[in-house]
Amino acid sequence: MNILERYHAMDYAPAPEARTEADAWLAGRDFAKALFIAGDWRAGFDGRSFDTADPSTGKVLAKVSEAGAADIEAAVAAARKALPKWSALSGYERARVLYAIGRAMQRHQRLFAVLESLDNGKPIRESRDIDVPLAIRHFIHHAGWAQSLASEFPGRRAAGVVGQIIPWNFPLLMLAWKIAPALATGCTVVLKPAEFTPLTAILFAEICERAGVPRGVVNIVQGGPEAGAAIVNHPGIDKIAFTGSSEVGKIIRKATAGSGKKLSLELGGKSAFIVFEDADLDSAVEGLVDGIWFNQGQVCCAGSRLLVQESVAEAFIAKVKTRMSRLRVGSPLDKNTDIGPLVDRTQLDRVRRLVEEGARQGAVCWQPDHEVPQTGYYHLPTLATGVAPANILAQEEVFGPVLATMSFRTTEEAVELANNTRYGLAASVWSETINLALHVAPQLEAGVVWVNGTNMFDAACGFGGYRESGFGREGGREGLEEYLAPSEPHGPVIKPAAPRAAARDNGEAHGIDRTAKLFIGGKQVRPDGNYSLPVFTPKGKLAGEVGLGSRKDIRDAVSAARACKAWPEATAYNRAQVLYYLAENLSGRTEEFAARISELTGAAHKAAKAEVEASIERLFWYAGMADKFEGRVHQPPARAVTLALNEPVGVIGIVAPDEAPLLGLVSLVAPALAMGNTVVLVPSATAPLVATDLYQVIEYSDVPAGAINIVTGHTGELAAVLARHDDVDGLWVVAEADICAQAEAESIGNLKRVWTGHGRSLDWQTAQGDAFLRRATEVKNVWVPYGD
Ligand code: NAD
């Protein structure tokens, strides 16, 4: 054998990571007392337990005590008890605790990595080089936020006791993403790891004991859906932070509707990996390996849909196949392993089923010719070609090592295909032309876009989805917002408006010559049903009539709002000018609007005039902010900059209050418009003529057709139609508590972003500021690498 033959015959020798320390830890722990509550290690009240196993062998690693409802009760009580003292500590004191956690984790870095690979099956290279260092960075980064909280978020307070539920794919990293911002903001925590991967959370609780976390501040309970549901439904919890499947996310959205609990959801994805013909194809292949085969594809933001430009598709797929043949499938503890086992047999069965179904629907599924280890839940990396856009492999989150491939011809087609999904978590764009990449990134409906890269994360950069990938962000400033109580002052409880009936002597048709129509797509239109509603003054005098809007009218209004591209695509300066113009035109009619408000609310002329003037001032403020509420640039510890762009949410439904019918309406509509959203407005039911009088003001102010649509009618009915409409991206409701609760519960179709006053009004004099602008935007983080 000559040297060349010897070289080619050479194989990798096994390079196993030592597991002695992990085995000693496993042998030395009493897993029958694995619930960490109020600083004590406890068994569950009802003595139940579950097994956690090594996915590469199926062997049980530990029998872990399981929390039932009584244990959740105890954990919540401990967190509640610890809350006042913890949230009252100075930022510096909390920072010291966070830093101590980070340092203690660093000292046990290798143990964390080995335990994670044993419990989850992920290759040790990943847990050692990615999961654990990122988790540590999260705590150390958030120590700084704890200390600067008072100056960076003045006047804000902790959300309270938070219930946190995490999945099994990044057990320690997801724990860090949840616990670090909670502790930094002064919240206390009840966290439930996933039932497949309880171990690193137990080690983390030991770290908390050593790092001086006060008793009850962090409580870790083990268990599955039942324990999760007990957390979600517990009335002593102020906020739920959930990471997991969209299916369970929807259950949680519904379960928390009307409870007043703050909610953030980090859910599934079907992210596009777009390769343009001018990409560096070899780099893109390496990126793809990270994008879809990292953690066996069990990654929420996995680049599971490859979209490759037709001109290079054949060459690129050939390169991908060659690279797939070199992926090493094997023991997670072997440092040479690229692909470990899936987490559990149930997950393996699910992936196999989806691949079979994809093939049945016409996809050609190719796998490299690898030997699969004898034991364990291994699935070979799989490439599906000939995938039609409707194929299950193109639409469903597989959560396994399966790549669905499609090709495109033009940039427009690439964007269209990428957005053809109900998810919106992440995307990768590969092109050597930076102009093209930065042209495409804002068009992708996804919370994170990586240019010439993939799966980059950092504690300083927000992460989270659009659409059914959930709402809220983790990391950075946006992530902290999720753990702070809302800042706006709450007004009085909203009671159902007493129906206004006609007084006996109501001066029928006195001065009335028409029924106000609806305002849809820039035109005044009759309601579909051709019915109208009488509008009475508080004294029962008929003031006029308005159209009785129906489901069909809302649908038309949503279509018009969706079709209006001129507004979201206008420059911010342009939008500012239109809002100033609206203010100017309203000010020309101050007396007329004041008289209308007086007539419909019974307010004295002076107060009514003050409301109009305050509305004009508010329009001015948001006009001024339209080009100032900008994004940021992050400099993560990588050779990349991250552009955090504030993008409009999309179509926002707004249900405005009866109280302050003009100022309330303007306070909600103006921030939505300022940020480039289009609006479907349901105005006050008792004073709708204030809104219908605005039609002319809107018409004179250069507002593009469809940017504002107004549908009058019964508030509760119209709010419910907006909540159920899957083309509405956001919904803001200031109305009675049951209307707010219903809006939240019925929003689960597309997981639209719902904000309500929870049955309370706002102090409209002060209801202005960044909170509204934040609500009107989604933050998209675009990672742009630099250097060779
Ligand atoms: P899952 O939704 O089945 O479970 C997630 C967690 O929720 C587990 O702890 C589980 O015990 C708990 N749970 C299950 N049913 C519940 C219920 N009815 N009420 C309360 N809790 C309940 O998801 P999974 O299979 O563990 O994880 C995979 C999913 O997580 C994928 O869809 C993936 O995309 C998603 N994920 C998202 C992100 C993100 O940041 N967006 C990150 C990682 C994983």
Side-chain angles (χ1 to χ4, degrees):
M1 196 184 265
N2 67 28
I3 189 134
L4 201 60
E5 285 163 346
R6 206 176 276 278
Y7 174 76
H8 283 301
M10 232 170 10
D11 201 2
Y12 288 84
E17 174 74 35
R19 50 179 290 174
T20 330
E21 206 192 335
D23 283 334
W25 184 82
L26 286 166
R29 258 218 81 78
D30 179 6
F31 289 100
K33 289 186 179 166
L35 309 183
F36 184 65
I37 297 174
D40 294 325
W41 290 98
R42 304 187 189 179
F45 277 109
D46 52 14
R48 284 187 301 172
S49 63
F50 64 95
D51 291 342
T52 186
D54 173 350
S56 69
T57 60
K59 285 196 187 129
V60 173
L61 292 165
K63 204 175 226 349
V64 177
S65 45
E66 183 175 349
D71 304 297
I72 303 299
E73 190 65 50
V76 175
R80 275 247 86 82
K81 191 166 165 214
L83 180 67
K85 209 162 161 193
W86 177 249
S87 57
L89 286 184
S90 73
Y92 172 53
E93 286 166 305
R94 283 203 304 275
R96 287 182 66 105
V97 173
L98 280 152
Y99 179 68
I101 294 175
R103 292 290 288 138
M105 288 173 78
Q106 271 172 340
R107 286 194 290 278
H108 295 85
Q109 204 154 342
R110 204 40 86 92
L111 176 58
F112 269 116
V114 175
L115 275 181
E116 198 75 307
S117 286
L118 279 174
D119 206 12
N120 165 281
K122 60 175 68 202
I124 186 74
R125 271 193 291 124
E126 295 179 8
S127 48
R128 184 194 62 196
D129 300 345
I130 299 170
D131 295 41
V132 177
L134 276 174
I136 293 168
R137 159 132 170 95
H138 227 76
F139 282 98
I140 293 180
H141 176 79
H142 279 83
W145 279 123
Q147 196 164 359
S148 59
L149 198 76
S151 56
E152 293 289 321
F153 297 85
R156 305 291 296 279
R157 62 177 175 84
V161 173
V162 299
Q164 306 183 318
I165 299 168
I166 56 174
W168 44 260
N169 58 343
F170 292 89
L172 183 68
L173 187 58
M174 291 300 105
L175 172 151
W177 283 17
K178 294 276 180 290
I179 294 186
L183 296 192
T185 47
C187 296
T188 57
V189 167
V190 176
L191 176 131
K192 191 196 80 63
E195 54 276 38
F196 293 141
T197 50
L199 296 183
T200 45
I202 295 173
L203 178 59
F204 177 81
E206 289 181 3
I207 296 280
C208 289
E209 284 183 302
R210 282 177 234 153
V213 178
R215 286 171 173 266
V217 169
V218 172
N219 303 275
I220 295 186
V221 290
Q222 303 290 350
E226 193 188 319
I231 293 175
V232 168
N233 295 319
H234 199 293
I237 285 182
D238 304 296
K239 178 209 159 59
I240 297 288
F242 172 78
T243 298
S245 58
S246 296
E247 189 190 344
V248 176
K250 289 182 179 190
I251 294 173
I252 293 177
R253 165 71 290 185
K254 200 156 188 173
T256 53
S259 68
K261 285 181 185 136
K262 215 174 145 93
L263 178 64
S264 50
L265 299 174
E266 298 285 351
L267 309 176
K270 191 77 205 176
S271 302
F273 189 102
I274 309 171
V275 181
F276 284 98
E277 61 189 0
D278 66 348
D280 172 346
L281 296 189
D282 292 317
S283 297
V285 170
E286 288 313 309
L288 192 62
V289 170
D290 274 349
I292 179 64
W293 291 300
F294 174 48
N295 198 17
Q296 293 71 249
Q298 301 165 124
V299 181
C300 52
C301 49
S304 54
R305 284 187 301 144
L306 168 65
L307 311 180
V308 55
Q309 197 149 19
E310 208 171 75
S311 48
V312 292
E314 211 180 305
F316 189 73
I317 297 291
K319 281 176 188 281
V320 172
K321 284 186 173 172
T322 307
R323 185 67 179 85
M324 284 172 76
S325 308
R326 291 204 210 105
L327 290 171
R328 301 181 61 82
V329 181
S331 161
L333 287 191
D334 189 327
K335 285 168 233 163
N336 295 320
T337 292
D338 297 307
I339 307 269
L342 302 188
V343 73
D344 186 70
R345 172 158 303 281
T346 49
Q347 186 64 12
L348 178 62
D349 291 345
R350 179 185 139 80
V351 174
R352 283 182 177 155
R353 258 200 322 275
L354 283 164
V355 170
E356 270 168 35
E357 180 56 23
R360 209 188 55 75
Q361 294 181 6
V364 178
C365 296
W366 180 88
Q367 293 178 334
D369 192 16
H370 285 319
E371 271 183 33
V372 178
Q374 297 289 310
T375 60
Y377 313 127
Y378 289 88
H379 192 284
L380 287 178
T382 304
L383 177 74
T385 49
V387 180
N391 188 294
I392 194 159
L393 294 178
Q395 292 297 330
E396 281 292 310
E397 183 184 41
V398 178
F399 225 56
V402 181
L403 177 66
T405 306
M406 282 168 267
S407 62
F408 64 88
R409 288 188 186 165
T410 61
T411 306
E412 294 69 38
E413 204 185 334
V415 170
E416 199 179 310
L417 275 173
N419 289 337
N420 179 22
T421 164
R422 58 200 168 95
Y423 296 111
L425 195 50
S428 289
V429 181
W430 292 78
S431 165
E432 288 298 288
T433 312
I434 192 72
N435 290 6
L436 173 65
L438 293 181
H439 168 66
V440 169
Q443 299 180 61
L444 298 173
E445 290 170 26
V448 185
V449 179
W450 294 290
V451 172
N452 293 332
T454 189
N455 279 341
M456 290 183 267
F457 312 100
D458 184 55
C461 308
F463 180 88
Y466 285 24
R467 308 201 277 190
E468 288 187 46
S469 291
F471 43 74
R473 293 288 181 268
E474 292 190 308
R477 287 188 86 87
E478 306 94 275
L480 289 162
E481 283 290 343
E482 300 297 327
Y483 290 92
L484 292 167
S487 53
E488 65 262 17
H490 280 299
V493 170
I494 301 177
K495 302 203 184 83
R500 288 181 183 173
R504 201 181 290 265
D505 169 25
N506 67 11
E508 186 77 48
H510 200 67
I512 291 159
D513 53 2
R514 67 183 184 105
T515 297
K517 296 179 185 156
L518 313 180
F519 191 69
I520 296 177
K523 294 197 188 78
Q524 299 190 31
V525 295
R526 279 184 207 293
D528 181 64
N530 249 324
Y531 286 104
S532 59
L533 272 179
V535 180
F536 296 106
T537 68
K539 290 196 173 141
K541 188 168 166 235
L542 187 67
E545 300 212 12
V546 292
L548 177 63
S550 64
R551 176 193 307 251
K552 170 77 169 62
D553 299 308
I554 292 283
R555 279 213 298 267
D556 291 346
V558 173
S559 300
R562 175 68 57 201
C564 172
K565 295 282 174 253
W567 189 250
E569 287 173 7
T571 65
Y573 176 49
N574 209 246
R575 292 199 297 270
Q577 284 176 297
V578 172
L579 288 170
Y580 278 127
Y581 202 20
L582 267 171
E584 194 183 320
N585 286 329
L586 181 59
S587 84
R589 296 172 62 174
T590 303
E591 287 301 334
E592 188 188 320
F593 272 87
R596 187 62 109 180
I597 291 170
S598 289
E599 179 191 23
L600 294 175
T601 66
H605 177 72
K606 196 169 159 207
K609 192 168 170 191
E611 183 179 336
V612 182
E613 280 162 356
S615 305
I616 296 163
E617 186 178 340
R618 189 133 305 163
L619 276 168
F620 247 68
W621 196 82
Y622 284 112
M625 290 309 292
D627 58 0
K628 293 175 191 63
F629 190 72
E630 293 182 305
R632 289 169 186 268
V633 179
H634 300 298
Q635 293 168 275
R639 290 198 306 166
V641 287
T642 312
L643 315 175
L645 307 175
N646 284 346
E647 295 193 337
V649 169
V651 175
I652 298 187
I654 293 179
V655 178
D658 286 337
E659 185 201 30
L662 183 64
L663 184 58
L665 176 164
V666 168
S667 301
L668 297 171
V669 170
L673 290 178
M675 293 295 100
N677 300 284
T678 55
V679 168
V680 176
L681 170 72
V682 176
S684 154
T686 52
L689 294 167
V690 174
T692 59
D693 288 352
L694 279 174
Y695 296 169
Q696 281 183 345
V697 179
I698 297 168
E699 281 162 351
Y700 294 153
S701 303
D702 294 341
V703 179
I708 313 178
N709 306 277
I710 301 177
V711 180
T712 48
H714 297 303
T715 307
E717 272 173 43
L718 299 181
V721 178
L722 281 168
R724 284 193 289 266
H725 200 305
D726 285 350
D727 231 7
V728 174
D729 304 294
L731 178 57
W732 302 351
V733 184
V734 182
E736 300 135 54
D738 58 343
I739 296 178
C740 294
Q742 187 186 24
E744 289 181 335
E746 306 225 346
S747 66
I748 57 170
N750 65 342
L751 282 175
K752 56 180 65 66
R753 285 84 182 104
V754 182
W755 169 80
T756 78
H758 299 294
R760 302 187 83 102
S761 191
L762 274 72
D763 172 359
W764 296 110
Q765 293 307 317
T766 57
Q768 165 180 299
D770 284 4
F772 291 89
L773 295 169
R774 268 197 306 279
R775 204 168 286 141
T777 45
E778 294 260 24
V779 184
K780 171 185 281 174
N781 278 278
V782 180
W783 288 68
V784 186
Y786 51 78
D788 287 336

